[in-house]
């Protein structure tokens, strides 16, 4: 006889508890703000991906409400049947213009977007070459295909070249190099210019997942390809509408042929309902905002807050690793210590997520901070004072 479900679930939960990985969800009361009420306690929020504070922007809220009045609350079908509303096409045209690419396909989430594009383009006889620290949704997206896979050391271009060199002896149809644009644990940026050179030399195609770069890096937040001025030289850019854009969704910016192929073969496009019109309208308003002076000012503010906070942490003697972006880890070593650091910070009034093995290496436990454009300098100074006190108490800094 097989085991009852409850026993199977409970035994896995017991394993999580033994290894110290069991956790409960923190609950947010009210809006996602720079200072939020989390588990009933008002704290400075350094854990949200709401980089530009758009989750509560009045223009975006108004756009969502208006769309509900005009189009209702749901699209009623998948894209390929009758779930493609004019407003969906409008967002895609706007994003293609914004990204300077021939076409864009919008999906339900960034997670879904990776599977949606990888499935149709990859098959038996193809090879994916993936950065060792790529996001789970890329890994899962690749797993759903029959392509062979190889991994290169994180952001190590010599290692990428070594893997590409090995492909010469093989007869792959397509070789696709895939990387995150900004890496979510360390906040470092992928080396796209070198990847382009190598891709050209070895005939490979290129894909970047810009979830943490969308609305953050590049001209008006166009992403890493824009940041490096590589427009027209990169094959596939995945973006998210769930982080800096403030709503939910993902998109694939690509050639027209890739878009047409996705319309026929991308399983989340064919078999999962499209966004409610309010989400789509919110994203349209967000892209309009990004392209305006206000948008660029918010991005500038995000980066000045980033510099201020990062400098503050390093001045205090914390190890912020190799971060180049608003994602700033404070690396403390052992995982249990990172969790304890996060708990003490919370008690003292700052929410910064603790992250331990297996998400990061055993000796690289950390709390991860993300500032936003919406934080005031007073809030960030207060957060630094709290980091200083707790860091001293725990002997993390001198
Ligand atoms: C957050 C993230 C995603 C998922 O995006 P959602 O829109 O939240 O589904 C995908 N890729 C990377 C690199 C991410 O950081």
């Amino acid at each position: 006889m097989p085991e009852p479900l409850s026993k199977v679930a409970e035994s896995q939960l017991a394993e999580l508890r033994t290894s110290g990985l069991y956790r409960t969800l923190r609950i947010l009361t009210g809006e996602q703000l720079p200072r939020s009420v989390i588990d009933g306690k008002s704290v400075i929020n350094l854990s949200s991906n709401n980089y530009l504070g758009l989750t509560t922007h009045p223009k975006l809220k108004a756009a969502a409400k208006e769309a509900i009045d005009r189009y209702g609350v749901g699209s009623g079908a998948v894209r390929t049947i009758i779930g493609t509303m004019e407003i969906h096409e409008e967002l895609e045209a706007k994003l293609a213009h914004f990204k300077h690419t021939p076409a864009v396909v919008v999906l339900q989430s960034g997670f879904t977007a990776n599977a949606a594009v990888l499935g149709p383009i990859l098959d038996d006889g193809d090879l994916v070459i993936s950065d060792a620290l790529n996001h789970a949704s890329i890994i899962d997206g690749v797993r759903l295909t029959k392509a062979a896979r190889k991994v290169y050391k994180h952001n190590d271009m010599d290692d990428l070249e070594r893997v590409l060199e090995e492909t010469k002896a093989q007869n792959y149809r397509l070789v696709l190099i895939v990387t995150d644009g900004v890496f979510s644990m360390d906040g470092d940026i992928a080396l796209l210019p070198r990847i382009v050179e190598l891709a050209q030399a070895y005939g490979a195609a290129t894909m970047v997942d810009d979830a943490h770069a969308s609305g953050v890096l590049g001209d008006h937040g166009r992403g890493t390809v824009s940041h490096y001025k590589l427009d027209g030289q990169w094959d596939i850019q995945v973006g998210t509408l769930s982080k800096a854009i403030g709503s939910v969704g993902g998109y694939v910016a690509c050639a027209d042929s890739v878009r047409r192929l996705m319309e026929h073969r991308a399983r989340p496009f064919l078999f999962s309902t499209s966004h409610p019109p309010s989400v789509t309208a919110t994203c349209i308003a967000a892209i309009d905002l990004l392209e305006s002076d206000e948008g660029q000012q918010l991005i500038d503010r995000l980066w000045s807050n980033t510099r201020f906070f990062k400098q503050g942490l390093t001045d205090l003697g914390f190890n912020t690793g190799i971060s180049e972006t608003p994602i700033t880890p404070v690396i403390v070593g052992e995982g249990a210590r990172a969790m304890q650091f996060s708990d003490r910070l919370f008690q003292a009034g700052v929410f910064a997520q603790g992250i331990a093995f297996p998400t990061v290496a055993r000796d690289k436990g950390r709390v991860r901070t993300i500032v936003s454009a919406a934080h005031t300098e007073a809030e960030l100074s207060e957060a630094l004072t709290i980091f200083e006190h707790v860091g001293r108490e725990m002997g993390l800094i001198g």
Side-chain angles (χ1 to χ4, degrees), residues 155-233:
N155 239 352
D156 183 333
M157 295 297 108
D158 293 338
D159 201 43
L160 172 58
E161 188 165 18
R162 175 190 64 77
V163 176
L164 283 163
E165 198 59 42
E166 290 171 9
T167 65
K168 275 184 164 170
Q170 314 277 331
N171 227 342
Y172 293 113
R173 180 189 66 165
L174 179 76
V175 174
L176 179 69
I177 305 170
V178 187
T179 181
D180 278 19
V182 170
F183 291 89
S184 53
M185 290 302 141
D186 288 299
D188 50 333
I189 308 174
L191 304 171
L192 303 197
R194 182 65 186 143
I195 294 178
V196 164
E197 280 175 13
L198 289 171
Q200 278 165 4
Y202 290 88
T206 49
M207 169 169 157
V208 65
D209 177 350
D210 257 347
H212 281 287
S214 307
V216 173
L217 272 176
D219 176 41
H220 288 259
R222 286 179 168 81
T224 44
V225 170
S226 159
H227 169 73
Y228 285 120
K229 302 193 166 42
L230 292 172
D231 276 349
Q233 297 179 65

Side-chain angles (χ1 to χ4, degrees), residues 312-320 330-332 337 341 345 383-398:
L313 287 171
T314 25
D315 287 350
L316 289 172
F318 285 110
N319 173 10
T320 58
V330 178
I331 299 167
V332 302
R337 210 154 159 69
F341 188 29
L345 287 168
L384 286 169
T385 306
I386 292 171
F387 265 89
E388 182 178 8
H389 284 157
V390 177
R392 289 243 161 83
E393 254 174 45
M394 288 184 61
L396 298 170
I397 50 171

